[in-house]
Amino acid sequence: MQMQFEVQGMDFNRAGEAAAKIKKALQMVGMEVHTVRRAVIVAYEAELNIVIHARRGTLTAHVYPDRVEIEALDEGPGIPDITLAMQEGYSTAPPHIREMGFGAGMGLPNINRCSDKLQIDSAVNKGTHVKSIIFNQASGE
Amino acid sequence: MNLWSKIIQSLQLTLLTDPQTLQRDIRGAYCGDLLSDVLAHASPGDLWITIHRHRNIVAVASLVNLSGIVITGGRTPETDTLETAEKEGLALFFTPLNNFQACGRIYALLSDYSIM
Ligand SMILES: Nc1ncnc2c1ncn2[C@@H]1O[C@H](COP(=O)(O)OP(=O)(O)O)[C@@H](O)[C@H]1O
Ligand SMILES: [Mg+2]
Protein backbone atom coordinates (compact mmCIF):
# COMPACT_ATOMS: atom_id res chain seq x y z
CA MET A 1 0.00 0.00 0.00
CA GLN A 2 1.18 3.51 -0.77
CA MET A 3 -0.16 6.89 0.26
CA GLN A 4 0.92 10.35 -0.77
CA PHE A 5 -0.02 13.76 0.61
CA GLU A 6 0.74 17.29 -0.47
CA VAL A 7 2.21 19.52 2.23
CA GLN A 8 2.25 23.33 2.00
CA GLY A 9 4.89 25.50 3.62
CA MET A 10 3.61 27.61 6.56
CA ASP A 11 0.16 25.98 6.51
CA PHE A 12 -0.18 25.41 10.25
CA ASN A 13 -3.91 24.82 9.96
CA ARG A 14 -3.42 21.55 8.15
CA ALA A 15 -0.12 20.60 9.78
CA GLY A 16 -0.23 17.01 11.02
CA GLU A 17 -3.10 15.92 8.75
CA ALA A 18 -0.87 13.75 6.57
CA ALA A 19 0.67 12.07 9.63
CA ALA A 20 -2.82 11.45 11.05
CA LYS A 21 -3.94 9.76 7.84
CA ILE A 22 -0.84 7.60 7.74
CA LYS A 23 -1.51 6.61 11.37
CA LYS A 24 -5.08 5.58 10.55
CA ALA A 25 -3.95 3.50 7.58
CA LEU A 26 -1.25 1.73 9.59
CA GLN A 27 -3.80 0.87 12.27
CA MET A 28 -6.27 -0.38 9.65
CA VAL A 29 -3.79 -2.82 8.17
CA GLY A 30 -2.86 -4.04 11.65
CA MET A 31 0.73 -2.87 12.03
CA GLU A 32 2.23 -3.32 15.53
CA VAL A 33 1.42 -0.53 18.04
CA HIS A 34 5.13 0.15 18.46
CA THR A 35 5.59 0.44 14.68
CA VAL A 36 2.64 2.81 14.38
CA ARG A 37 4.00 5.04 17.13
CA ARG A 38 7.45 5.30 15.59
CA ALA A 39 6.09 5.83 12.06
CA VAL A 40 3.74 8.53 13.33
CA ILE A 41 6.58 10.42 15.02
CA VAL A 42 8.71 10.22 11.86
CA ALA A 43 5.80 11.28 9.65
CA TYR A 44 4.78 14.21 11.88
CA GLU A 45 8.30 15.58 12.29
CA ALA A 46 9.01 15.24 8.55
CA GLU A 47 5.67 16.85 7.68
CA LEU A 48 6.30 19.73 10.08
CA ASN A 49 9.79 20.27 8.70
CA ILE A 50 8.21 20.86 5.29
CA VAL A 51 5.62 23.21 6.84
CA ILE A 52 8.20 25.16 8.85
CA HIS A 53 11.30 25.13 6.66
CA ALA A 54 10.29 24.44 3.04
CA ARG A 55 7.99 25.93 0.38
CA ARG A 56 6.05 22.82 -0.46
CA GLY A 57 6.49 19.10 -0.60
CA THR A 58 5.00 15.64 -0.43
CA LEU A 59 4.85 13.08 2.35
CA THR A 60 4.65 9.49 1.17
CA ALA A 61 4.16 6.28 3.12
CA HIS A 62 4.92 2.89 1.63
CA VAL A 63 3.49 0.12 3.76
CA TYR A 64 4.79 -3.46 3.58
CA PRO A 65 4.05 -6.36 5.95
CA ASP A 66 7.54 -6.13 7.47
CA ARG A 67 8.17 -2.36 7.36
CA VAL A 68 6.94 1.17 6.79
CA GLU A 69 8.87 3.62 4.64
CA ILE A 70 8.21 7.32 5.15
CA GLU A 71 9.48 9.67 2.50
CA ALA A 72 9.42 13.46 2.62
CA LEU A 73 10.42 15.32 -0.52
CA ASP A 74 10.35 19.09 -0.65
CA GLU A 75 11.21 22.19 -2.61
CA GLY A 76 12.87 24.66 -0.31
CA PRO A 77 16.08 26.10 1.05
CA GLY A 78 17.70 22.71 1.66
CA ILE A 79 20.01 21.89 4.56
CA PRO A 80 23.61 23.17 4.15
CA ASP A 81 25.08 21.04 6.97
CA ILE A 82 23.11 17.87 7.70
CA THR A 83 25.39 16.75 10.56
CA LEU A 84 24.77 20.08 12.31
CA ALA A 85 21.02 19.91 11.64
CA MET A 86 20.90 16.44 13.21
CA GLN A 87 22.20 17.77 16.53
CA GLU A 88 19.56 18.06 19.23
CA GLY A 89 18.75 21.70 19.90
CA TYR A 90 19.95 23.02 16.54
CA SER A 91 17.20 24.98 14.83
CA THR A 92 16.91 27.85 12.39
CA ALA A 93 13.18 28.31 13.12
CA PRO A 94 12.25 31.98 13.67
CA PRO A 95 10.98 33.26 17.05
CA HIS A 96 7.27 33.28 16.14
CA ILE A 97 7.47 29.57 15.25
CA ARG A 98 9.30 28.79 18.49
CA GLU A 99 6.59 30.56 20.45
CA MET A 100 4.17 27.95 19.14
CA GLY A 101 6.28 25.19 20.65
CA PHE A 102 7.93 24.21 17.37
CA GLY A 103 11.56 24.77 16.50
CA ALA A 104 13.07 22.98 19.48
CA GLY A 105 15.61 21.35 17.20
CA MET A 106 14.34 17.91 18.18
CA GLY A 107 12.64 16.91 14.93
CA LEU A 108 15.52 15.30 13.05
CA PRO A 109 16.85 13.64 16.26
CA ASN A 110 13.32 12.25 16.86
CA ILE A 111 13.21 10.96 13.29
CA ASN A 112 16.64 9.38 13.70
CA ARG A 113 15.72 7.69 16.97
CA CYS A 114 12.50 6.22 15.57
CA SER A 115 14.02 5.00 12.29
CA ASP A 116 15.78 1.71 11.67
CA LYS A 117 17.32 3.22 8.54
CA LEU A 118 17.52 6.88 7.64
CA GLN A 119 18.77 8.67 4.57
CA ILE A 120 18.79 12.45 4.20
CA ASP A 121 19.83 14.14 0.97
CA SER A 122 19.64 17.86 0.50
CA ALA A 123 20.64 20.47 -2.04
CA VAL A 124 20.86 24.10 -0.97
CA ASN A 125 18.20 26.28 -2.65
CA LYS A 126 16.61 23.19 -4.19
CA GLY A 127 15.16 20.96 -1.51
CA THR A 128 15.43 18.05 0.86
CA HIS A 129 14.71 14.34 0.64
CA VAL A 130 14.23 12.36 3.85
CA LYS A 131 13.71 8.61 3.68
CA SER A 132 13.08 6.59 6.83
CA ILE A 133 12.52 2.86 7.18
CA ILE A 134 10.77 1.49 10.24
CA PHE A 135 10.67 -2.28 10.64
CA ASN A 136 7.39 -3.71 11.86
CA GLN A 137 8.17 -5.13 15.28
CA ALA A 138 6.28 -5.55 18.54
CA SER A 139 8.55 -3.56 20.89
CA GLY A 140 12.13 -2.84 21.93
CA GLU A 141 14.23 0.04 20.67
CA MET B 1 -15.83 9.84 42.30
CA ASN B 2 -13.65 8.55 39.51
CA LEU B 3 -10.18 9.78 38.67
CA TRP B 4 -11.37 12.32 36.10
CA SER B 5 -13.65 14.07 38.57
CA LYS B 6 -10.91 14.16 41.23
CA ILE B 7 -8.50 15.69 38.74
CA ILE B 8 -11.10 18.18 37.53
CA GLN B 9 -11.72 19.28 41.10
CA SER B 10 -8.12 19.41 42.27
CA LEU B 11 -6.72 21.15 39.18
CA GLN B 12 -9.71 23.54 38.99
CA LEU B 13 -10.41 22.42 35.44
CA THR B 14 -13.12 23.70 33.18
CA LEU B 15 -14.12 21.11 30.57
CA LEU B 16 -14.66 22.70 27.18
CA THR B 17 -15.47 19.65 25.06
CA ASP B 18 -18.41 17.25 25.11
CA PRO B 19 -18.44 15.09 28.31
CA GLN B 20 -18.23 12.07 25.98
CA THR B 21 -14.56 12.98 25.56
CA LEU B 22 -13.95 11.83 29.15
CA GLN B 23 -14.26 8.21 28.05
CA ARG B 24 -10.53 7.82 27.58
CA ASP B 25 -8.66 6.40 30.59
CA ILE B 26 -6.01 8.55 32.26
CA ARG B 27 -2.85 6.50 32.54
CA GLY B 28 -0.51 9.27 33.67
CA ALA B 29 0.38 12.86 32.92
CA TYR B 30 3.00 14.83 31.02
CA CYS B 31 3.90 18.49 31.09
CA GLY B 32 5.69 20.26 28.27
CA ASP B 33 5.55 23.18 25.89
CA LEU B 34 7.83 21.79 23.18
CA LEU B 35 5.69 19.79 20.78
CA SER B 36 8.54 17.51 19.70
CA ASP B 37 9.30 16.68 23.33
CA VAL B 38 5.70 15.72 24.04
CA LEU B 39 5.47 13.70 20.84
CA ALA B 40 8.60 11.75 21.77
CA HIS B 41 8.18 11.34 25.52
CA ALA B 42 4.52 11.43 26.53
CA SER B 43 2.92 7.99 26.93
CA PRO B 44 -0.45 6.85 25.60
CA GLY B 45 -3.19 7.82 28.07
CA ASP B 46 -1.24 10.75 29.54
CA LEU B 47 -3.05 13.98 30.35
CA TRP B 48 -1.00 16.78 28.78
CA ILE B 49 -0.42 20.01 30.69
CA THR B 50 0.68 22.94 28.54
CA ILE B 51 0.54 26.69 28.02
CA HIS B 52 -0.27 26.38 24.31
CA ARG B 53 -3.73 27.10 22.94
CA HIS B 54 -3.37 26.65 19.17
CA ARG B 55 -4.86 23.72 17.28
CA ASN B 56 -1.57 21.90 16.67
CA ILE B 57 -1.65 20.63 20.28
CA VAL B 58 -4.72 18.55 19.38
CA ALA B 59 -2.94 17.02 16.39
CA VAL B 60 0.02 16.03 18.58
CA ALA B 61 -2.17 14.67 21.39
CA SER B 62 -4.23 12.57 18.98
CA LEU B 63 -1.20 11.17 17.19
CA VAL B 64 0.22 9.69 20.40
CA ASN B 65 -3.15 8.81 21.97
CA LEU B 66 -3.11 11.16 24.96
CA SER B 67 -6.20 11.21 27.20
CA GLY B 68 -6.69 14.98 27.16
CA ILE B 69 -5.13 18.44 27.27
CA VAL B 70 -5.09 20.99 30.09
CA ILE B 71 -4.30 24.55 29.04
CA THR B 72 -2.83 26.43 32.00
CA GLY B 73 -2.59 30.01 33.22
CA GLY B 74 -6.22 30.85 32.55
CA ARG B 75 -5.63 30.78 28.79
CA THR B 76 -8.50 29.53 26.67
CA PRO B 77 -8.08 27.60 23.42
CA GLU B 78 -8.40 29.24 20.05
CA THR B 79 -11.76 28.50 18.41
CA ASP B 80 -10.39 26.02 15.88
CA THR B 81 -8.48 24.22 18.65
CA LEU B 82 -11.78 23.47 20.37
CA GLU B 83 -13.43 22.43 17.11
CA THR B 84 -10.58 20.04 16.32
CA ALA B 85 -10.67 18.56 19.83
CA GLU B 86 -14.42 17.87 19.50
CA LYS B 87 -13.84 16.23 16.13
CA GLU B 88 -11.03 14.05 17.55
CA GLY B 89 -13.01 13.22 20.70
CA LEU B 90 -10.20 14.57 22.85
CA ALA B 91 -10.95 16.18 26.23
CA LEU B 92 -9.86 19.81 26.39
CA PHE B 93 -9.73 21.83 29.63
CA PHE B 94 -8.41 25.09 30.94
CA THR B 95 -7.28 26.00 34.46
CA PRO B 96 -6.27 29.20 36.26
CA LEU B 97 -3.30 27.27 37.73
CA ASN B 98 0.12 27.52 36.08
CA ASN B 99 2.10 24.53 34.77
CA PHE B 100 3.94 24.02 38.07
CA GLN B 101 0.84 24.17 40.24
CA ALA B 102 -1.17 21.91 37.95
CA CYS B 103 1.66 19.37 37.79
CA GLY B 104 2.10 19.33 41.56
CA ARG B 105 -1.56 18.63 42.12
CA ILE B 106 -1.89 15.91 39.53
CA TYR B 107 1.34 14.32 40.70
CA ALA B 108 -0.08 14.04 44.21
CA LEU B 109 -3.37 12.62 42.92
CA LEU B 110 -1.78 10.05 40.65
CA SER B 111 0.57 9.01 43.45
CA ASP B 112 -2.46 8.32 45.64
CA TYR B 113 -3.81 6.15 42.84
CA SER B 114 -0.36 4.50 42.55
CA ILE B 115 -0.24 5.61 38.90
CA MET B 116 2.95 7.62 39.34
N1 LIG C 1 12.87 20.05 5.08
C1 LIG C 1 13.80 20.94 5.48
N2 LIG C 1 14.18 21.96 4.66
C2 LIG C 1 15.11 22.85 5.05
N3 LIG C 1 15.73 22.83 6.25
C3 LIG C 1 15.39 21.84 7.11
C4 LIG C 1 14.41 20.86 6.78
N4 LIG C 1 14.30 19.99 7.83
C5 LIG C 1 15.17 20.43 8.75
N5 LIG C 1 15.84 21.54 8.34
C6 LIG C 1 16.88 22.28 9.05
O1 LIG C 1 17.39 21.47 10.11
C7 LIG C 1 17.14 22.13 11.37
C8 LIG C 1 16.83 21.09 12.45
O2 LIG C 1 15.61 20.43 12.15
P1 LIG C 1 14.77 19.79 13.34
O3 LIG C 1 15.67 18.89 14.11
O4 LIG C 1 13.55 19.18 12.77
O5 LIG C 1 14.44 21.02 14.27
P2 LIG C 1 13.38 22.21 14.08
O6 LIG C 1 12.45 21.82 12.98
O7 LIG C 1 12.73 22.27 15.41
O8 LIG C 1 14.17 23.43 13.76
C9 LIG C 1 16.03 23.10 11.09
O9 LIG C 1 15.98 24.17 12.00
C10 LIG C 1 16.37 23.56 9.67
O10 LIG C 1 17.43 24.50 9.70
MG1 LIG D 1 11.59 20.00 12.88
Side-chain angles (χ1 to χ4, degrees), chain A residues 12-17 19-20 23-24 27 37 40-41 44-45 48 98-104 106-107 110 113, chain B residues 33-44 51-52 54-56 59-65 80 87-88:
Chain A
F12 285 96
N13 282 327
R14 298 193 57 197
E17 275 184 14
K23 175 188 178 186
K24 207 159 274 172
Q27 287 175 326
R37 181 175 167 105
V40 156
I41 291 174
Y44 184 80
E45 294 288 9
L48 266 288
R98 288 170 192 253
E99 275 164 26
M100 293 174 73
F102 297 111
M106 293 175 68
N110 271 354
R113 198 173 37 79
Chain B
D33 299 323
L34 299 175
L35 304 192
S36 286
D37 173 57
V38 175
L39 192 71
H41 300 298
S43 303
I51 63 168
H52 291 301
H54 57 78
R55 68 186 294 170
N56 293 274
V60 168
S62 295
L63 282 175
V64 289
N65 304 319
D80 53 3
K87 214 170 68 197
E88 295 287 329

Side-chain angles (χ1 to χ4, degrees), chain A residues 84-99:
Chain A
L84 181 63
M86 293 294 292
Q87 285 179 16
E88 183 148 330
Y90 178 83
S91 174
T92 58
H96 69 280
I97 301 288
R98 288 170 192 253
E99 275 164 26

Side-chain angles (χ1 to χ4, degrees), chain B residues 10-87:
Chain B
S10 169
L11 275 69
Q12 301 173 31
L13 302 185
T14 301
L15 177 66
L16 298 164
T17 46
D18 190 289
Q20 288 279 349
T21 56
L22 298 180
Q23 272 174 355
R24 298 187 190 204
D25 278 340
I26 304 171
R27 309 244 290 270
Y30 197 82
C31 178
D33 299 323
L34 299 175
L35 304 192
S36 286
D37 173 57
V38 175
L39 192 71
H41 300 298
S43 303
D46 278 356
L47 182 61
W48 177 14
I49 295 163
T50 183
I51 63 168
H52 291 301
R53 51 195 290 275
H54 57 78
R55 68 186 294 170
N56 293 274
I57 57 175
V58 178
V60 168
S62 295
L63 282 175
V64 289
N65 304 319
L66 305 187
S67 52
I69 304 175
V70 174
I71 302 173
T72 57
R75 295 173 192 85
T76 51
E78 292 169 9
T79 315
D80 53 3
T81 307
L82 185 54
E83 282 165 10
T84 315
E86 292 283 14
K87 214 170 68 197

Side-chain angles (χ1 to χ4, degrees), chain A residues 57-70:
Chain A
T58 55
L59 190 71
T60 309
H62 312 263
V63 187
Y64 306 95
D66 68 326
R67 69 188 188 281
V68 182
E69 297 180 6
I70 306 281

Side-chain angles (χ1 to χ4, degrees), chain A residues 1-129:
Chain A
M1 179 173 59
Q2 181 172 323
M3 287 164 285
Q4 189 166 75
F5 305 99
E6 299 291 320
V7 182
Q8 272 302 319
M10 287 299 148
D11 186 356
F12 285 96
N13 282 327
R14 298 193 57 197
E17 275 184 14
K21 284 176 184 154
I22 290 170
K23 175 188 178 186
K24 207 159 274 172
L26 296 179
Q27 287 175 326
M28 298 292 268
V29 300
M31 300 302 268
E32 296 286 350
V33 172
H34 185 62
T35 307
V36 176
R37 181 175 167 105
R38 291 192 302 149
V40 156
I41 291 174
V42 169
Y44 184 80
E45 294 288 9
E47 181 179 357
L48 266 288
N49 277 353
I50 299 175
V51 173
I52 294 169
H53 305 292
R55 263 192 317 280
R56 59 163 303 280
T58 55
L59 190 71
T60 309
H62 312 263
V63 187
Y64 306 95
D66 68 326
R67 69 188 188 281
V68 182
E69 297 180 6
I70 306 281
E71 231 180 324
L73 187 64
D74 71 53
E75 296 161 18
I79 306 175
D81 185 341
I82 293 175
T83 311
L84 181 63
M86 293 294 292
Q87 285 179 16
E88 183 148 330
Y90 178 83
S91 174
T92 58
H96 69 280
I97 301 288
R98 288 170 192 253
E99 275 164 26
M100 293 174 73
F102 297 111
M106 293 175 68
L108 292 176
N110 271 354
I111 290 174
N112 192 34
R113 198 173 37 79
C114 291
S115 302
D116 291 304
K117 287 185 184 162
L118 178 63
Q119 167 118 25
I120 302 177
D121 300 296
S122 193
V124 172
N125 292 327
K126 283 221 167 87
T128 301
H129 183 190

